[in-house]
Every structure is written in C-alpha cells, then in structure tokens.
C-alpha cells in the first residue's frame, strides 16, 4: 500500500549487520510513494495533489528549540487539524520526532539545511555540502519528505547546482 496523506501507511524496517554475531542493528519506519513536480502541479503516486501548508520554526516561547518529543508531535497534530498537508521546515534541520509525526499524520515536508540569505561559495559551500549530506542521509527514509531545501533567498547558481548534485547522489527521487 502506498503512503499518502489520506492513508499514511508505514512499514517497519529492521536491518542487522552480522558476522558471527550481530555487529550493528538499525530500525526505522518508511513508506512507499512517488512524488513529482511538473508544470501542471504536484503529483503524489501519480495523482495531482494541492499542497496546503505553512512554515515551521522549531521554537516555543520559554523553551526555544529545547522542545520535548510530545511538543513536536503536538505541532504536527495542530497542522493536521488546521487542514495542512504540507510544511516547510524553516531554515534548518528539525528534530526527527517532528518528521516521525509527519510520516504518521500524512503531512508532506520540505526539509532545509541551516541557511538564510547566505548562500555562496568557498567555506560556506563546503560546510553546506556537509550539512546537506547529513540531512539527506538522516531523513531520506521519511516518506513525508518530498523536497530538499538547498538554501534560501540567494542567486548563487554554482552553490545551488553543487548542493542539488549532493541531494541527487543520495536520493535520486
């Protein structure tokens, strides 16, 4: 069964690396879906879907970004309750608990690296590529993630091309 906002089907994956005994083990959940942007709009699993959403900052007055897992879940539940099926995670990677909740509730995600009005070359680009690799590797199993944000409010073509290449090497969807 394909993952969709109206039926966010998830599958448990357990992987073990073993020689004579288990050396390493990882468990995660994922879903199966296709996502495509065309001139006609956004298509999920081959069907056009209107995206309705907002930006999210990982911050609550009095707590800043030190939010509990329950508060991350509550944010996702509120978005869902208000009719959102899409959220942009402005302007940095956010807690995996929020992405887990988006997977479970059927909220599509635009995930971004930590940047704002600063996209450029040199040391910035070197660091941004490290961030992008980490973000994609960490979150590519989330069916809710449909976009990787390369940076915000800039016109530095070289940086965007190189960051896009990083994404495509790790997630060709």
């Amino acid at each position: 069964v394909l993952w969709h906002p109206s039926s966010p089907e998830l599958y448990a994956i357990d992987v073990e690396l073993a020689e004579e005994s288990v050396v390493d083990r990882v468990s995660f959940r994922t879903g199966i879906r296709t996502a495509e942007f065309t001139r006609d709009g956004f298509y999920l699993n081959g069907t056009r879907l209107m995206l309705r959403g907002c930006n999210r900052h990982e911050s609550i007055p009095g707590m800043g970004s030190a939010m509990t897992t329950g508060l991350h879940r509550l944010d996702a539940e509120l978005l869902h309750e208000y009719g959102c099926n899409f959220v942009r995670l402005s302007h940095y990677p956010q807690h995996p608990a929020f992405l887990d909740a988006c997977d479970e509730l059927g909220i599509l995600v635009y995930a971004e690296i930590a940047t704002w009005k600063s996209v450029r070359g040199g040391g910035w680009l070197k660091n941004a590529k490290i961030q992008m690799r980490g973000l994609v590797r960490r979150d590519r199993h989330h069916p809710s993630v449909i976009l990787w944000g390369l940076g915000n409010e800039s016109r530095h073509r070289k940086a965007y091309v190189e960051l896009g290449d990083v994404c495509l090497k790790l997630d060709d969807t």
Side-chain angles (χ1 to χ4, degrees):
V1 175
L2 296 178
W3 185 94
H4 190 275
S6 63
S7 58
E9 186 73 34
L10 295 171
Y11 299 93
I13 307 292
D14 297 305
V15 179
E16 291 182 349
L17 175 62
E19 291 177 4
E20 293 178 18
S21 62
V22 175
V23 177
D24 197 8
R25 174 181 297 129
V26 65
S27 298
F28 59 92
R29 292 178 310 160
T30 192
I32 301 166
R33 56 97 182 114
T34 61
E36 181 181 21
F37 286 89
T38 72
R39 290 177 186 237
D40 299 324
F42 174 69
Y43 288 79
L44 189 68
N45 305 322
T47 302
R48 191 164 192 265
L49 181 68
M50 179 68 70
L51 298 175
R52 296 175 317 276
C54 62
N55 290 334
R56 177 189 191 245
H57 282 281
E58 192 176 69
S59 179
I60 289 184
M63 300 184 97
S65 62
M67 295 170 59
T68 65
T69 300
L71 287 174
H72 285 289
R73 171 110 192 152
L74 179 60
D75 267 4
E77 289 172 349
L78 289 171
L79 289 171
H80 191 257
E81 179 183 326
Y82 295 143
C84 293
N85 66 358
F86 179 75
V87 62
R88 175 183 178 212
L89 305 183
S90 307
H91 303 286
Y92 42 84
Q94 297 188 19
H95 198 283
F98 184 76
L99 292 173
D100 289 341
C102 288
D103 288 345
E104 294 165 13
L105 295 168
I107 300 171
L108 298 159
V109 173
Y110 174 165
E112 285 187 326
I113 58 172
T115 182
W116 185 65
K117 290 187 176 184
S118 60
V119 177
R120 57 186 175 272
W124 182 93
L125 181 55
K126 181 180 177 184
N127 183 48
K129 288 162 80 173
I130 292 167
Q131 286 184 53
M132 186 59 70
R133 280 186 206 96
L135 176 66
V136 176
R137 284 182 178 139
R138 185 191 80 170
D139 296 340
R140 64 185 168 191
H141 69 281
H142 288 280
S144 58
V145 177
I146 60 168
L147 288 166
W148 300 111
L150 308 177
N152 185 45
E153 298 180 19
S154 178
R155 298 189 191 284
H156 199 288
R157 179 169 165 61
K158 178 181 186 270
Y160 286 127
V161 168
E162 289 188 28
L163 289 168
D165 287 346
V166 168
C167 293
L168 287 172
K169 285 178 184 168
L170 296 171
D171 179 3
D172 64 1
T173 64

